[in-house]
Amino acid sequence: MDNEVLYLNGDFLPLSQGRVPVEDRGFQLGDGIYEVIKVMNGRLVWLEDHLERLERNLAAVSLSEAASGHHLDFVLPDLVVRSQVDHGFVYVQVTRGFAPREFVFPNPPHPTVLAYARSKPAPAVSEILMGTTLHPVRDLRWARCDIKSTNLLAAVLAKEEARQAGAHEALFMAEDGVVREGGSSNVFAVLDGGLRTHPLDNRILGGITRKHVIEMALQEGYPVEERAFTLDEVMSAPAGRCEVFTASTTKDIMPVVRIGSQVVGDGKPGVVTLALLDVIRRAQAILVGLEPPPALGVRPASV
Ligand SMILES: Cc1ncc(COP(=O)(O)O)c(C=O)c1O
């Protein structure tokens, strides 16, 4: 990790030497926005989508101009090169910066803009094929989950609860049994061959992976409905007629084989899930100039 480089307010320095003031509003108030972008073959995947979401989220918290002078479209690829990251991610955070502690906005703000790149291997094929497990939790987050805010305490507690329950990811559930999203992922169900996922609103984060999964699924001819589904719908579907998967930047598509104590479908990664994962893996490989990887699944004969 010696070569990890931090971009901090216009300077490049070793990540281990990065410092922000105690009264940075990101630290004290969670008053900030962040992004996580996948790096593959030393290239940033879907960078424009992430920068566009960052801009939109900054505007939503009245920090519109905070990142504009930082030329992140140049800085982030530069960081990947400086940190020699082949596969991993770039983390970006913009806060309302240092100001004597007050709830109301400082005027003018002095935003903190930071980013670093880190190596992290992609999930191994064996891990993907083993599938992932979800632990349902009541969604106790605030009502603006569409903003990728650094206020992540509810997600921290939910994901820790999931870990202690022996699951890989938390599943945020509404009171009425509606599946919202994962602790740090969107969730799709495949019911009767068509995809269902929670619609874009204030209750979920509009994931970049979610967006590309929907586009690719439609291109492949799968029906997609952005309509919420309940855990009951998933669990009461006959085995083999239902699949569930998560979608996120760091893990792409992960087949879900268990939710709580209940097995999903036949307890194995579903055929539609693996077919979509193959499409996304191929698309990303081509985007970053790699040979497409061998297919994991077989495209189902009927869609
Ligand atoms: C709550 C939540 N939903 C969904 C996602 C997936 O978004 P993306 O595909 O942009 O990584 C994340 C990613 O961290 C998240 O935190």
Side-chain angles (χ1 to χ4, degrees):
M1 302 256 171
D2 285 352
N3 50 4
E4 286 183 327
V5 178
L6 173 69
Y7 173 84
L8 179 60
N9 296 330
D11 296 324
F12 291 96
L13 63 157
L15 179 60
S16 57
Q17 290 174 22
R19 301 284 180 268
V20 287
V22 167
E23 286 191 301
D24 189 284
R25 292 175 64 96
F27 177 61
Q28 286 195 324
L29 305 170
D31 187 0
I33 300 294
Y34 75 105
E35 273 299 327
V36 178
I37 307 160
K38 178 171 170 169
V39 176
M40 207 176 156
N41 198 29
R43 307 255 298 270
L44 287 140
V45 177
W46 301 328
L47 176 60
E48 276 176 27
D49 288 304
H50 287 278
L51 290 180
E52 192 269 326
R53 181 171 65 184
L54 179 65
E55 279 300 309
R56 194 161 19 90
N57 281 189
L58 286 171
V61 298
S62 306
L63 270 175
S64 292
E65 301 303 316
S68 41
H70 289 268
H71 307 289
L72 292 178
D73 48 342
F74 290 105
V75 166
L76 303 186
D78 189 17
L79 265 179
V80 172
V81 174
R82 287 175 190 251
S83 301
Q84 298 166 28
V85 172
D86 182 51
H87 198 106
F89 63 88
V90 164
Y91 177 80
V92 186
Q93 181 173 329
V94 181
T95 78
R96 210 177 304 275
F98 166 77
R101 189 177 180 282
E102 287 274 2
F103 285 96
V104 294
F105 294 171
N107 188 19
H110 301 286
T112 299
V113 178
L114 63 84
Y116 55 87
R118 172 158 295 164
S119 296
K120 190 175 183 206
V125 167
S126 56
E127 186 189 340
I128 296 169
L129 294 179
M130 190 107 71
T132 195
T133 55
L134 305 181
H135 172 72
V137 293
R138 236 330 262 296
D139 190 352
L140 295 173
R141 300 174 301 168
W142 69 328
R144 286 305 304 272
C145 297
D146 54 315
I147 297 177
K148 203 166 165 63
S149 143
T150 54
N151 257 301
L152 289 168
L153 188 55
V156 166
L157 297 178
K159 286 175 79 90
E160 176 58 22
E161 186 184 319
R163 190 183 68 85
Q164 287 184 19
H168 297 111
E169 170 68 309
L171 180 64
F172 281 123
M173 302 286 309
E175 232 172 306
D176 57 4
V178 159
V179 169
R180 286 189 175 145
E181 61 180 332
S184 56
S185 54
N186 292 113
V187 178
F188 285 78
V190 185
L191 288 162
D192 289 329
L195 269 66
R196 291 266 294 279
T197 195
H198 197 286
L200 287 181
D201 63 16
N202 60 315
R203 295 296 177 184
I204 66 158
L205 181 77
I208 304 302
T209 319
R210 175 191 181 281
K211 177 188 139 176
H212 284 272
V213 165
I214 291 174
E215 278 174 15
M216 288 177 195
L218 289 172
Q219 274 166 22
E220 292 294 305
Y222 297 103
V224 179
E225 263 189 293
E226 294 182 62
R227 180 161 68 89
F229 59 91
T230 64
L231 205 48
D232 263 3
E233 278 179 88
V234 169
M235 291 311 180
S236 59
R241 302 297 306 253
C242 174
E243 303 175 22
V244 176
F245 63 85
T246 60
S248 68
T249 293
T250 44
K251 298 207 156 170
D252 297 325
I253 285 177
M254 285 296 278
V256 175
V257 294
R258 185 166 57 79
I259 302 178
S261 57
Q262 290 182 280
V263 170
V264 175
D266 57 7
K268 297 198 204 89
V271 282
V272 176
T273 303
L274 290 181
L276 286 171
L277 180 54
D278 281 334
V279 172
I280 216 161
R281 277 159 53 98
R282 209 177 312 129
Q284 288 184 345
I286 291 166
L287 193 68
V288 300
L290 285 175
E291 280 293 309
L296 298 173
V298 186
R299 196 177 192 286
S302 65
V303 179

